Amino acid sequence: MNIIKQMTKTLVSPSILSANLGNLATDIEMINNSTADWIHVDVMDGMFVPNISFGMPVIAAVKQVAKKPLDVHLMVEKPERYIDDFKKAGADILTVHYEASIHLHRTLQAIKDTGMRAGIALNPSTPVNVLDDIITDADMILIMSVNPGFGGQKFIKQSLEKIRKTKELIVKTGSKALIQVDGGVTLDNNKELVNAGVDILVAGSFVFSSNNPAQTITALKTF
Ligand code: DX5
Ligand code: ZN
């Protein structure tokens, strides 16, 4: 499955952090039948971020039902400890935080060695220039547009400039990395984000609190 292809359109990866966790299969079916491209799965360890969400058993259960690639965002200290476990659980894209993995180059190689795609996430306070010497090793850069840990937070405006800088770095270095944005994405900022260079929009509360989540997913990628 060629999950990261030459980009011609904007991808949407709904975050199931805001799904109905008591009836997750129904929301995964909705995503299966929608125009969503990936399924964004937020893993939180209560250390890197204050919150705890879900781990490998939930991902393995989601994988049973999902017909789209699992885009797993690890908000976990020392994520390199769990790379094989997430592969076994069914992750297709594994994103780790720059701030959480000291030997990031080794971590990315280990992710790619399993056959998964490797992403790097940056917190809002982390500057883009920390990517200078690693961007050509990444399949994706995730720009956090809220402080990670919770759904439903307000979009941080400076993220737009960070996305533009990331795009510039990608063009300058010839990196093939895609740009993902995560946090506070709505129909009020989707177009501006794509114009700034975003390839993949993550949206949680905006999708799952809407009256028609499948329609909202399509609306997010329609300009
Ligand atoms: C936040 C998570 C996000 C979250 C986004 O730490 O990484 O993926 O689900 O939620 P919204 O779209 O509601 O900001
Ligand atoms: Zn996320």
Side-chain angles (χ1 to χ4, degrees):
M1 179 171 41
N2 183 17
I3 53 173
I4 298 192
K5 52 185 184 301
Q6 208 51 42
M7 298 297 301
T8 50
K9 61 181 178 75
T10 305
L11 307 188
V12 171
S13 190
S15 166
I16 57 170
L17 188 65
S18 294
N20 178 358
L21 299 180
N23 198 356
L24 196 47
T26 303
D27 281 344
I28 302 293
E29 282 298 343
M30 179 282 293
I31 294 174
N32 284 344
N33 295 322
S34 76
T35 59
D37 299 276
W38 299 347
I39 301 175
H40 188 82
V41 185
D42 288 302
V43 178
M44 303 179 186
D45 69 350
M47 289 295 289
F48 181 71
V49 288
N51 202 4
I52 298 178
S53 56
F54 30 70
M56 294 77 166
V58 173
I59 295 176
V62 167
K63 190 71 177 178
Q64 302 280 318
V65 191
K67 297 203 176 102
K68 308 208 170 173
L70 297 190
D71 162 33
V72 177
H73 174 194
L74 298 187
M75 285 157 274
V76 170
E77 286 289 352
K78 299 189 174 57
E80 55 277 3
R81 294 174 292 162
Y82 300 115
I83 291 170
D84 290 337
D85 298 294
F86 283 107
K87 170 69 182 173
K88 281 193 202 109
D92 295 285
I93 303 127
L94 198 65
T95 297
V96 297
H97 269 260
Y98 165 83
E99 304 86 358
S101 185
I102 292 175
H103 303 291
L104 187 57
H105 181 270
R106 180 186 290 151
T107 303
L108 293 190
Q109 299 313 317
I111 294 172
K112 293 196 280 189
D113 284 350
T114 69
M116 294 184 287
R117 304 293 183 149
I120 305 171
L122 296 188
N123 280 338
S125 62
T126 303
V128 171
N129 64 21
V130 301
L131 298 173
D132 283 358
D133 297 321
I134 191 76
I135 194 141
T136 52
D137 294 283
D139 295 308
M140 185 171 84
I141 304 299
L142 193 182
I143 300 295
M144 284 306 304
S145 42
V146 297
N147 286 292
F150 304 93
Q153 301 181 82
K154 194 169 169 286
F155 180 80
I156 298 172
K157 261 279 189 193
Q158 296 93 299
S159 316
L160 273 166
E161 191 50 33
K162 287 181 71 174
I163 290 159
R164 287 188 199 105
K165 281 187 186 158
T166 308
K167 185 70 186 182
E168 266 171 37
L169 185 62
I170 286 172
V171 170
K172 190 174 107 190
T173 57
S175 161
K176 301 223 164 15
L178 301 179
I179 302 178
Q180 184 173 65
V181 67
D182 184 7
V185 173
T186 69
L187 282 174
D188 287 332
N189 55 22
N190 63 329
K191 193 169 178 202
E192 209 175 0
L193 287 164
V194 169
N195 287 340
V198 166
D199 301 295
I200 308 126
L201 297 162
V202 174
S205 53
F206 189 70
V207 167
F208 287 100
S209 67
S210 69
N211 289 335
N212 188 332
Q215 241 173 42
T216 303
I217 290 166
T218 300
L220 280 168
K221 60 199 291 186
T222 310
F223 303 100

